[in-house]
Amino acid sequence: MNDILSKNIVDIIKDIKESKENVKEETVSIINRIFFSYSKANLKANIVLVLGGLSDIRAIVGTNLSKKNNIPIIFSGGVFHSKFGVTEAEYYKKIGIGHGLKDGLIYIENDSTNTYENFLYSLDLIKEIIQKDIINIFVVSNSIHLPRAILIGNEIINKNNYNMKLIPYASDQNGESWMKNNKTRGYIINELNKILTYNYKNSLSIKFKRFENVMNEMVKEKVFPGATYAVLNKDYSMLGVCGNKSLYPLEKNTLNTLYDMASLTKVIVTNTIVLRMLQAGKINLNDKIGKYLKEYDYLDITIYNLVTHSSGLKSGFSSLKIESKEEFILALKNIKLDYIPGTKCIYSDIGFVLLGMVIEKIYNMKLDEIADIEVFKPLSMKRATFHPNVKNCAPTEQTIDRGLIRGIVHDETAFYSGRILGHAGLFCDINDVCKFVKMILNDGMVSNKVYLEKKYIDMLFHPEVLDVDGVKRSIGWVVGKVNSTGNSVSENTISHNGFTGTSIVIDRDNKIGIVVLSNRVHPTRENNLLLSRRKKIIGSIYNKIYIEKDTNLN
């Protein structure tokens, strides 16, 4: 069925290209023949996948299919629209979403408009939900989106050797609604051609294949138990998963796994909130922290010093044995400078701890609540959290004092502080991190709205200081070619690593982002293999080979 379907779609393109301008009736007839015949047939499936259309007939058709066949349903892509004059919850109740929730109804609110990304994410979840040798999936969408959706879905299935069959199910019964909505013949040609050639000629796909091979190699070499990873540009994300989520107990990895971001908390949350505050006029980079934290007036440190790691503070509290909230508070009270602020640059966790406290003081809220308002919700990072569900998380270290750490921050200072800090503690899945990276690749734009003005994104790529290792640093980020990226990236690149095995690289000149989320410290931090392999991972995307050692942990 799938081969015939693909052939017919190719015929559609050929017919449209060779026809005169007036081809609406013929095109509608072809689409009717292919898709609506399946819709009317008495076909059986194990699950319903609705692509987009949470506010239109697709949701109703998909829900009815789920009810009729007593099978789970996934809503992937599309967002709720308020035009109906009711709340989101009222709308879902009205169309029937929510039936059988206790009996296994699945609902994903993933508002990406990228069909490839939605399909990849959803098929991975379907593998977990439906434990069968062959999985039949009703794919519900309207007639303009369904052809390309089936092509993309089949491409992913074939590439990953999934035992799945897609059953197209058109939601619009007459096949003409899209024509009335100004969907012209040129649009159809461009869209279908783009999808037919996407996985074969798209440069991102070629980069991803090399990336994928190296990541699987890393698992075999026990660099980490498993990982989720992505290479993306401003429009598309190609996501991958390898290895295991956990070794003890043994659990297979999935794209939904939440990883401890470690120091990526600094750039995703704390640094981004600082930029939002600058944009809103709430702070100035030259403000002294004593303006907000009176107890630290004596330090003579500015916000700029904190975000550029030039504050004079130690790198961390490692010289002190902090094993309780009381010891953390005492350590904070006794902070001293190691050097005059602005005269050196030494990477500092303490600096971002103080920065988080400044943010909390200004907002008069806790940092996790501020992150939700200023970062997670505006970027639609649905699963990003400081309070994860343990079962969704990849474990980190097996310790004597804390046992197996899972779903709780790995960083000792953050853990023993008993509070949310600005340097570590965030948990994310790969999909959410990609949304953050896309925002930067799009110069601060999110869904055609300004999240951060371009001048603030430019600041991230502008070197401000040189650290003691000769590394250029901007507002929060490392800039240019460094040991962990290798020489394959452009000088117009920002990057940051996390101790647990996470990393983000954003190459502005080459217009790509690279994300790796792993738990290399599971079951022990003594596994340092990733430190010498990071540049090989990045080099695979640029088709370069590196063998030098990597000592950059953060």
Side-chain angles (χ1 to χ4, degrees), residues 78-118:
V79 293
F80 173 79
H81 298 291
S82 59
K83 63 184 179 182
F84 293 97
V86 295
T87 67
E88 190 167 359
E90 288 170 340
Y91 178 77
Y92 292 149
K93 184 177 180 181
K94 178 180 178 182
I95 65 171
I97 297 176
H99 82 278
L101 185 61
K102 294 179 182 178
D103 299 321
L105 176 77
I106 308 297
Y107 172 60
I108 297 177
E109 187 179 354
N110 177 16
D111 60 3
S112 170
T113 56
N114 184 327
T115 307
Y116 188 98
E117 186 176 313
N118 287 333

Side-chain angles (χ1 to χ4, degrees), residues 47-108:
I47 193 166
V48 178
L49 174 60
V50 179
L51 293 175
L54 287 182
S55 300
D56 64 27
I57 191 68
R58 280 171 281 183
I60 298 172
V61 170
T63 303
N64 288 337
L65 266 178
S66 175
K67 289 178 180 178
K68 178 182 176 181
N69 294 278
N70 194 28
I71 54 178
I73 183 170
I74 291 178
F75 293 89
S76 184
V79 293
F80 173 79
H81 298 291
S82 59
K83 63 184 179 182
F84 293 97
V86 295
T87 67
E88 190 167 359
E90 288 170 340
Y91 178 77
Y92 292 149
K93 184 177 180 181
K94 178 180 178 182
I95 65 171
I97 297 176
H99 82 278
L101 185 61
K102 294 179 182 178
D103 299 321
L105 176 77
I106 308 297
Y107 172 60
I108 297 177

